[in-house]
Amino acid sequence: MYRVCLETGDSGRDATPLYRDPELLGHVYAGPYPIADPGLTWVAYDDQGLLGYVVATADTAAFEQWLEEAWWPGLRARYPRRLAADPGDGTQDWRRVAHLHDPPRTPADMLHAHPAHLHIDLLPRGQGAGQGRRLMMTLIEALRARGVPGLHLGVGSGNPRAFAFYLAMGFQEARRAPWGSTMTMDLRG
């Protein structure tokens, strides 16, 4: 999963050249989910191996608290705050280190109606063949079975294919920011 996260981590493109430490993206966007909410992780395979995954949490507020208590402390020790300074060489490790020291909090007004959130990543060989749709539908059904009222995600402005995919899945753009969009889906209908 960490490899897929890295190879899709630049708005759907390979982020390998942007990171000295190939695990940093996975530590933030893939690794904690199967541990914190293990019933909401699915992977897709083909004859070449893992080609994608979806990870989620049904309760973002509880997940963010769990990160503070159980996930970030070990990573903060491994990646001290001094590494959150931009070295000026185009690498992005520093941004992920800054994230784990000062993680953004999801706005409370988002959590009321859309408490769940997800990350989905598919390698290019798995895109366009229905794998993403299958992963998303599996997740949506599991969240509905838990009675979760809504789901949100972030999509970078540099990833118009993903934005179109989420619209086709039934998400709506709730907020737009310089980095991209927050999209939501009502799961009650």
Side-chain angles (χ1 to χ4, degrees):
M1 286 176 54
Y2 275 47
R3 180 185 56 80
V4 171
C5 186
L6 181 64
E7 290 182 13
T8 60
D10 183 16
S11 291
R13 295 175 297 279
D14 190 355
T16 302
L18 300 176
Y19 288 90
R20 288 191 190 116
D21 184 331
E23 294 184 338
L24 264 169
L25 268 178
H27 287 325
V28 173
Y29 298 113
Y33 293 86
I35 298 167
D37 205 338
L40 296 177
T41 296
W42 290 272
V43 296
Y45 285 88
D46 66 6
D47 58 354
Q48 297 176 52
L50 184 72
L51 61 85
Y53 62 85
V54 63
V55 294
T57 183
D59 184 341
T60 298
F63 177 74
E64 289 174 349
Q65 185 62 40
W66 178 86
L67 288 170
E68 277 301 321
E69 295 169 3
W71 191 257
W72 297 141
L75 291 172
R76 288 173 180 154
R78 181 174 171 184
Y79 301 99
R81 188 179 290 275
R82 66 180 166 71
L83 298 177
D86 185 353
D89 61 3
T91 58
Q92 300 296 304
D93 299 62
W94 68 278
R95 290 185 189 273
R96 300 296 75 80
V97 173
H99 180 117
L100 64 93
H101 282 279
D102 298 303
R105 295 297 231 174
T106 306
D109 64 324
M110 176 69 61
L111 297 177
H112 177 70
H114 304 95
H117 80 268
L118 73 97
H119 295 282
I120 183 170
D121 290 305
L122 283 169
L123 295 173
R125 73 176 194 268
Q127 296 172 8
Q131 291 288 350
R133 177 172 288 284
R134 282 189 282 282
L135 288 169
M136 289 290 286
M137 292 308 299
T138 301
L139 172 63
I140 289 166
E141 290 170 15
L143 291 170
R144 283 185 172 141
R146 289 189 185 191
V148 177
L151 174 63
H152 72 274
L153 60 85
V155 60
S157 58
N159 200 344
R161 285 188 64 198
F163 186 83
F165 169 74
Y166 297 131
L167 287 175
M169 288 298 305
F171 283 85
Q172 297 178 344
E173 184 179 42
R175 298 184 178 144
R176 186 172 291 177
W179 62 265
S181 299
T182 300
M183 302 184 80
T184 60
M185 177 185 279
D186 186 338
L187 298 176
R188 294 170 293 184

